Amino acid sequence: MSEIVIRHAEARDAESLRQFYALPEVYHNLLQLPHPPAELWEDRLKPQPGRRQLVACIDDQIVGNLTLMVEQNPRRSHVAIFGMAVSSAFHNRGVASALMREMINLCDNWLRIERIELTVFVDNAPALAVYRKFGFEIEGTAKRYALRNGEFVDSYFMARMKG
């Protein structure tokens, strides 16, 4: 298997990320909508305070993405929230773990983050397994959290505390 390379996303990645997030198997477990416009990803890749965009590449192909957002409110500046997606063709190959390791390294060693938060659909077993592997714990359940394929789905609130 080729090496997984984690790097910061760049403006040139906008079209690849648009195509990646347009796949039904990707947006199914996210809060993304089908048919993302090119402008959406062009805007998301512009520098924004507190936002870090990581991509996982295998053989120069983007196979995963993690967006980390450090809270800008001074009272929550010790908190980061993230979202992640991995192409279904690359599940069970270590892509999610590689993204998680790099994100946690950034948070723990470079960004002064004490708490990392996320939401995940309760039926997304592969994601739950990865998050638990990296020390995330369920803190609560949001009933009817989001609409997916015409039905409301519950979501877990999860977090990881440093140290």
Side-chain angles (χ1 to χ4, degrees):
M1 181 172 99
S2 297
E3 179 185 8
I4 300 168
V5 175
I6 306 297
R7 63 173 176 78
H8 196 277
E10 300 175 5
R12 65 182 167 90
D13 297 322
E15 179 57 21
S16 293
L17 286 166
R18 186 198 67 74
Q19 290 177 16
F20 175 77
Y21 280 94
L23 298 171
E25 64 270 16
V26 173
Y27 64 73
H28 175 80
N29 281 313
L30 305 173
L31 295 179
Q32 308 291 320
L33 292 173
H35 317 296
E39 297 81 15
L40 174 82
W41 279 100
E42 291 165 5
D43 286 345
R44 283 188 179 171
L45 293 178
K46 290 178 182 170
Q48 296 180 30
R51 180 175 281 190
R52 305 280 185 285
Q53 291 272 3
L54 300 176
V55 291
C57 301
I58 295 178
D59 297 329
D60 294 322
Q61 176 186 356
I62 293 175
V63 298
N65 171 243
L66 187 147
T67 302
L68 179 71
M69 295 153 291
V70 176
E71 290 284 347
Q72 297 300 293
N73 180 320
R75 294 180 64 186
R76 286 197 26 101
S77 63
H78 66 292
V79 176
I81 301 167
F82 80 96
M84 177 175 64
V86 174
S87 170
S88 61
F90 292 88
H91 284 183
N92 301 311
R93 291 178 62 179
V95 175
S97 291
L99 284 164
M100 293 291 292
R101 270 191 299 279
E102 186 56 31
M103 183 265 299
I104 289 171
N105 174 54
L106 282 171
C107 289
D108 285 357
N109 299 312
W110 300 99
L111 300 176
R112 294 182 308 168
I113 299 301
E114 295 291 322
R115 176 182 170 84
I116 307 171
E117 301 174 342
L118 67 97
T119 58
V120 59
F121 291 132
V122 298
D123 61 358
N124 190 345
L128 286 164
V130 170
Y131 300 146
R132 286 184 176 119
K133 173 181 169 182
F134 285 92
F136 285 80
E137 297 178 2
I138 295 171
E139 295 186 331
T141 304
K143 300 291 184 186
R144 299 173 52 97
Y145 181 75
L147 187 66
R148 181 180 67 190
N149 293 332
E151 297 180 325
F152 287 103
V153 182
D154 295 350
S155 184
Y156 289 132
F157 292 109
M158 297 183 80
R160 173 194 178 268
M161 303 297 287
K162 182 178 177 182

